[in-house]
Amino acid sequence: MDRSDWFKLTFIVIVVTGVECLKNVKLEVSPQAVEQGHEATLRCHYELEEAPLYSLKYYRGSYEFYRYSPNERPQTKIFNFTWIEVDSNKSDERQVTIKNVDFLLSGNFSCEVTTDAPTFSTATSTKILTVVSIPKGKPVILSERRRYKPGDTLRANCSMPSSKPQAQIFFTLNDDVINDAYVRPLTFDTKREKSKKKHSSSVTSSSSRSSTIDEPHQQQLQPRQTSDRQGIQLIMQLQTFHYVSGQLNLRCVVRIADVYEQWSELQLGSNLREPIPERVRSENVCNQCHTITNSIIFGLMLLILYTR
């Protein structure tokens, strides 16, 4: 075996040994979906076994923004970027915290672990961070009518302020998810904005369930359509099996990643109602009762006087 063969063998041994010394490199991003303006923490887990750590680096895409090197002074180094703000008080050899996150940070984050001599082995783990913007409050659900009977066409819509990413919006009827075949995205028409505001108090809504109408009014069903809103519309013919004890519980559910979930609902039912019996009290009957009672009392008094 010549010298070149020895070099090749030594290189293979070093590589294999290095791989064995660096195991289970895994990046943890908490939370993976973070609201804009909040903070996110990255933790890099790894097993060195007998190999010493040379460096631990964190990347956003291809840009290194934080490094920990135990053999250097100072041990930590923050790379200044205007679009990423590292919280030095919450960052060390175990984790790095980013504060005031913005949408530019959505994407791949990586941690790179390198062992010291003689192997200088390197392993990387990558995770995705999603920055979201969530609306305040609950979604607004509107119905064309207050009551529906089997055979009627249920028309309703659900809308809310825009979000980033776009929200997942869906309807349920008596806790059963409505098929997407009956649902379509709302189209936006700012010309209806003023008309909508004038008549909004006469439409069934989750914020004021007493403000409802019994007759169809297609124009009033149009939501407040502006570019800063999103929503869906439901058009479905009702069947008998849709009802539970004569009622329809229509709910709109909105979800954004793992950071937002809200819902609003309407209690709808059939137009057909069972007659409610009323207890009627007749004045003539009562007068007759009083007359009979008075006669009995008068007769008893005469009987007592006669026996004396």
Side-chain angles (χ1 to χ4, degrees), residues 30-308:
S30 179
Q32 284 192 270
V34 58
E35 187 176 356
Q36 181 189 25
H38 291 209
E39 67 178 31
T41 299
L42 286 68
R43 300 182 182 91
C44 195
H45 304 280
Y46 52 88
E47 296 178 16
L48 295 176
E49 296 188 354
E50 297 180 358
L53 177 66
Y54 177 74
S55 67
L56 173 60
K57 301 177 181 179
Y58 289 89
Y59 293 85
R60 165 58 181 92
S62 59
Y63 295 93
E64 181 185 0
F65 64 91
Y66 185 81
R67 179 187 301 177
Y68 171 73
S69 302
N71 299 324
E72 297 182 2
R73 295 296 180 271
Q75 293 181 324
T76 60
K77 183 177 181 180
I78 299 175
F79 297 84
N80 293 322
F81 294 101
T82 57
W83 41 270
I84 186 167
E85 188 175 356
V86 175
D87 189 340
S88 58
N89 296 324
K90 296 182 179 180
S91 303
D92 50 32
E93 71 278 7
R94 295 181 298 274
Q95 66 179 37
V96 55
T97 298
I98 306 170
K99 57 184 180 180
N100 298 324
V101 297
D102 206 347
F103 295 119
L104 289 174
L105 294 181
S106 291
N108 292 333
F109 280 80
S110 305
C111 73
E112 179 185 275
V113 183
T114 303
T115 59
D116 209 338
T119 60
F120 289 105
S121 299
T122 300
T124 304
S125 177
T126 302
K127 282 289 182 66
I128 297 177
L129 173 68
T130 303
V131 182
V132 302
S133 174
I134 62 176
K136 305 298 181 183
K138 294 184 176 183
V140 177
I141 179 173
L142 305 174
S143 174
E144 186 183 53
R145 286 158 55 180
R146 178 180 178 181
R147 298 281 177 180
Y148 294 89
K149 63 181 183 293
D152 289 344
T153 299
L154 171 59
R155 288 184 173 89
N157 60 49
C158 180
S159 62
M160 62 178 300
S162 295
S163 61
K164 192 172 183 179
Q166 189 172 358
Q168 177 191 7
I169 309 176
F170 60 93
F171 282 109
T172 66
L173 189 62
N174 293 332
D175 297 328
D176 292 329
V177 178
I178 295 178
N179 193 298
D180 290 339
Y182 304 105
V183 180
R184 64 186 183 188
L186 284 174
T187 55
F188 297 96
D189 183 6
T190 56
K191 293 181 180 179
R192 297 185 183 269
E193 178 73 16
K194 294 182 180 180
S195 175
K196 163 66 174 58
K197 289 183 177 180
K198 291 180 181 179
H199 302 285
S200 60
S201 60
S202 61
V203 182
T204 303
S205 69
S206 57
S207 59
S208 179
R209 293 192 177 121
S210 62
S211 299
T212 58
I213 56 177
D214 291 316
E215 296 300 325
H217 199 303
Q218 185 64 27
Q219 184 175 4
Q220 291 180 356
L221 236 192
Q222 295 298 328
R224 184 162 65 91
Q225 304 287 18
T226 63
S227 58
D228 62 345
R229 293 190 72 80
Q230 58 185 326
I232 57 175
Q233 186 175 35
L234 169 65
I235 301 177
M236 182 179 70
Q237 188 174 21
L238 294 171
Q239 306 296 331
T240 304
F241 60 82
H242 288 131
Y243 292 78
V244 175
S245 300
Q247 291 298 315
L248 296 171
N249 183 13
L250 181 64
R251 177 178 295 184
C252 174
V253 183
V254 179
R255 292 174 182 165
I256 303 175
D258 296 326
V259 297
Y260 177 93
E261 180 170 344
Q262 292 285 351
W263 54 268
S264 298
E265 66 179 16
L266 294 174
Q267 298 292 336
L268 306 172
S270 174
N271 277 320
L272 301 177
R273 299 182 180 179
E274 295 294 332
I276 301 176
E278 296 183 0
R279 302 182 65 179
V280 181
R281 183 177 180 181
S282 173
E283 294 183 359
N284 294 331
V285 173
C286 292
N287 292 334
Q288 292 177 2
C289 291
H290 285 301
T291 302
I292 295 173
T293 302
N294 292 335
S295 299
I296 293 174
I297 295 174
F298 181 74
L300 290 174
M301 291 177 64
L302 291 176
L303 181 62
I304 293 171
L305 291 175
Y306 179 79
T307 55
R308 289 182 178 179

